[in-house]
Amino acid sequence: MLSREAAGSRQLPHTRDAKTLCPYCGVGCGIIATTDGSRITKIRGDNHHPANFGKLCPKGATVAQTVDVRTRLRHAMSRSSRAQEPSCVTAGEAVQHVADRLNHILQSHGPEGIAFYLSGQLTTESQYLFNKFAKGYLRTNHVDSNSRLCMSSAASAMTLSLGSDGPPTCYADIDLADTFLFIGSNAAECHPIVFGRVERRLEKRRTHCVVVDPRRTKTAESANLHLAVRPGTDLALLNGLLYLLDMWGKIDPAFIAAHTEGWAELRAMLPQYPPHRVSQICGIGVPELLQTAKTIADAKRLITFWTMGVNQTLQGTFTSNAIINLHLATGQIGKPGCGPFSLTGQPNAMGGRDVGYMSHLLPGQRQIANADHRLQIERFWGLPQGTIYPHAGYDAVRMFDALESRDIRAIWIVGTNPAASMPNLPKIRRALERADLVIVQDAYYPTETTRYADVLLPAAVNLEQSGTFCNSERRVTLMEQVVKPPGEAQPDWWWPRHVAAAMSFTRGMWFNTAEDIFDEFARSTAGRPNDQSALSHATLRAKGPQIWPCPALGAPQERRYTDGVFPTSSGRARFFAREHLTAEEKTTAKFPLLLTTGRVANQWHTRTKTALVPALGKGEAAPSVHMHPADAESLFLQDRQAVTVHSSRGESATILRIDAAMSPGLVWMPIHWNELWGKRASCNEITTDASDLQSKQPALKCCAVSVTARADDAAEPETATAVAPLAIVHRHV
Ligand SMILES: Nc1nc2c(c(=O)[nH]1)N[C@H]1C(S)=C(S)[C@@H](COP(=O)(O)OP(=O)(O)OC[C@H]3O[C@@H](n4cnc5c(=O)[nH]c(N)nc54)[C@H](O)[C@@H]3O)O[C@H]1N2
Ligand SMILES: Nc1nc2c(c(=O)[nH]1)N[C@H]1C(S)=C(S)[C@@H](COP(=O)(O)OP(=O)(O)OC[C@H]3O[C@@H](n4cnc5c(=O)[nH]c(N)nc54)[C@H](O)[C@@H]3O)O[C@H]1N2
Ligand code: SF4
Ligand SMILES: [Mo]
């Protein structure tokens, strides 16, 4: 009954080179993988790929070591009660089981009882099919993704200010720019190949770099100027910079008059941000502020990169709007070598946003709340008018709230590990415990989330399938399949395709290849701001990676908005006058320190892959909380001492690291070490799920905590080897 037409059974030629992509970050580096027919024998950077021109960082270079490993999920598993351990079932049995249980929930609770939590690490084809299955066939809009924790603020700001999601810039602009501003981005560790390109540019004369980050990061070390702002104060900084630029006559009145709206209102607000006030709010000196403003005023070509230090704050959308304000006011957009450049976190978060895998979106940058957009997609999918439910579904945080309150009964989690990566984990665990049905589709086992699964579906990783990813500069690359997936693992789209068939949703879900799904997706974007209708797997194979917009009639655009026309209702870009609010979580006598969280260069998120590569575990390979020497001294804490970090939500067991890169009063924890490493090791035991009102993105970058010595050695995280904790649990399966 089940077709094995997908990647698993395709005949693959023996020794050969295949063009594929790095599965890690949004830089989207091209890889040439050599295979002997069954194994990957060599990985090297693709010299012709415009994202990396042959370069790879240590994660990308070692990706072959994460494929054929003991911790791969090879077979489907299921259980009928949580009291049992899951046992292996065939793919056919798993499909039928999922179909029966979803049918049951549809009948007892209606479509709104079912939710999907997807990932920016899936192919566009898989993201598209899950979204279509849920919104078009099951008729639930409770489809969200880990992009809610990641890109949501930048995406909503680009849509509000410019009329379309997706950055206006491209990587080639880096080679043309003379000034770089990094706000809340540690690109040296998180987007290393892009940052390398910036560093090469900085070797040239008359180039400048300013980094705004509360920590002295590796990125900050390469900069001419580092502004160690207080967390959550970037909006005040940006308003203060624009105030100075305007006062100095360093704005572009002609651009403002011809291509924008809302300047008068914004300009009227700016005098509230004089240097002395901004310096107080941000905790930086007036001279540094003036120097930054002068650097920007003198810039002929400015690129502003921003990521999680902005997006994961309560004013993430407004701060992103303010970054765009700066570029609109100075006319530094739509021209070579300049523009606001939101770097994408995950390798295919841009593709996910293009297919509309958020609870408020439909394919082709369409909005669920827009009746015309719904009708267009209903027609396109061949569904009766009124099929798509007219209201947005729950965002990620609200989705888990609804699971806890039993509004939602079933959740299908694909390619993400919420029991480690969501804020306020004590609540997430309660939600998963209370669910009637948890389906976890992952490539590895165990993860922090698999322990809650009633059904486990094995997924192929990207080197085992063909499909597309779209990177930070909006470039779509075709990944060729390199090796076969293990056991009964399948490309992610295969599972909803077959579950849909078992639920008798055949028409419209009957795809047999990723190529067919891509063709439909590409057509869905025709005429939209993210038009990719000229693309197909065949075109991408023949012509190489392509940037969108790439309409069927017309040339692709590396740089958007070169004509000064924006896809808003008026054709003008919009200024937004956004006030800085002191809304981030406040320190108290009980929780006197601010915690921020983030990444290190050689680990990837919850480490299901990077824990498998011993070379990446060298150096700082354990959970930690970093603290300024003065704070450690006043708390009588020693370097490498076992400590507990407390917040009003929970506590995290970790190791203290004294670190002069921290500002006094601020502590920092990496996100990579979670429950599989040690009990309560995750920073998300304590983070807040309070969210930005516009984007619904949680403020993962700032919460109030205290740090105390930990006496209980028994609860200390295991630190034997980087791989052991995963392997130990795995052996029990
Ligand atoms: N090595 C590695 N690379 C990755 C990833 C990974 O797991 N590992 N993940 C990928 C993904 S999905 C993402 S989203 C990106 C994230 O890439 P980044 O956003 O660069 O990484 P983070 O470490 O999360 O946060 C960046 C910086 O924000 C700072 N910050 C915290 N609060 C504030 C604030 O209020 N204002 C300012 N200005 N800065 C603040 C932190 O100190 C931190 O240095 O990385 C991608 N690349
Ligand atoms: N405190 C704090 N929390 C954060 C952040 C932060 O900065 N601070 N950052 C947030 C951000 S920006 C992000 S993007 C999230 C990331 O959080 P997650 O998405 O939870 O992190 P990953 O470890 O990448 O999880 C990916 C999961 O998919 C599996 N997987 C890998 N490849 C495939 C595949 O091809 N198919 C399938 N089905 N599964 C696969 C992996 O084994 C893993 O279990 O974390 C968020 N959480
Ligand atoms: S920079 Fe990102 S995409 Fe490139 S090799 Fe490193 S992790 Fe992979
Ligand atoms: Mo992310």
Side-chain angles (χ1 to χ4, degrees), residues 22-29 55-61 190-194:
C22 175
Y24 293 115
C25 83
V27 176
C29 296
K55 297 189 169 55
L56 292 176
C57 80
K59 293 188 299 301
C190 296
H191 296 92
I193 298 298
V194 160

Side-chain angles (χ1 to χ4, degrees), residues 642-674:
V643 290
T644 305
V645 188
H646 313 257
S647 78
S648 61
R649 291 154 293 270
E651 42 186 69
S652 170
T654 186
I655 306 289
L656 186 85
R657 296 310 313 271
I658 295 180
D659 183 352
M662 304 302 302
S663 306
L666 181 79
V667 293
W668 174 81
M669 292 175 78
I671 63 173
H672 309 293
W673 289 275
N674 296 285

Side-chain angles (χ1 to χ4, degrees), residues 186 190 212-213 215 232 234 307-308 599-601 603 605 701:
N186 183 11
C190 296
V212 183
D213 194 305
R215 300 185 302 137
D234 303 82
T307 49
M308 296 311 118
R599 295 157 169 80
V600 300
Q603 297 298 337
H605 297 160
K701 284 287 183 269

Side-chain angles (χ1 to χ4, degrees), residues 121-122 146 149-150 308 312 346 414-418 421 441-444 447 459-462 465 492 597-599 604-609 671 683-684 687 700-701:
Q121 295 169 60
L122 311 176
N146 53 7
L149 314 182
C150 183
M308 296 311 118
Q312 292 171 338
Q346 298 173 93
V414 193
T416 177
N417 189 3
S421 59
Q441 184 167 324
D442 206 288
Y444 296 86
T447 73
V461 295
N462 72 339
Q465 60 179 313
D492 285 290
T597 57
R599 295 157 169 80
W604 180 257
H605 297 160
T606 71
R607 292 176 80 246
T608 59
K609 288 179 179 161
I671 63 173
C683 65
N684 283 323
T687 48
L700 289 157
K701 284 287 183 269

Side-chain angles (χ1 to χ4, degrees), residues 119-140:
S119 168
Q121 295 169 60
L122 311 176
T123 62
T124 301
E125 292 79 353
S126 294
Q127 293 163 336
Y128 179 82
L129 207 63
F130 266 109
N131 196 40
K132 182 178 187 185
F133 177 45
K135 291 175 182 162
Y137 293 86
L138 295 177
R139 303 182 66 197
T140 173

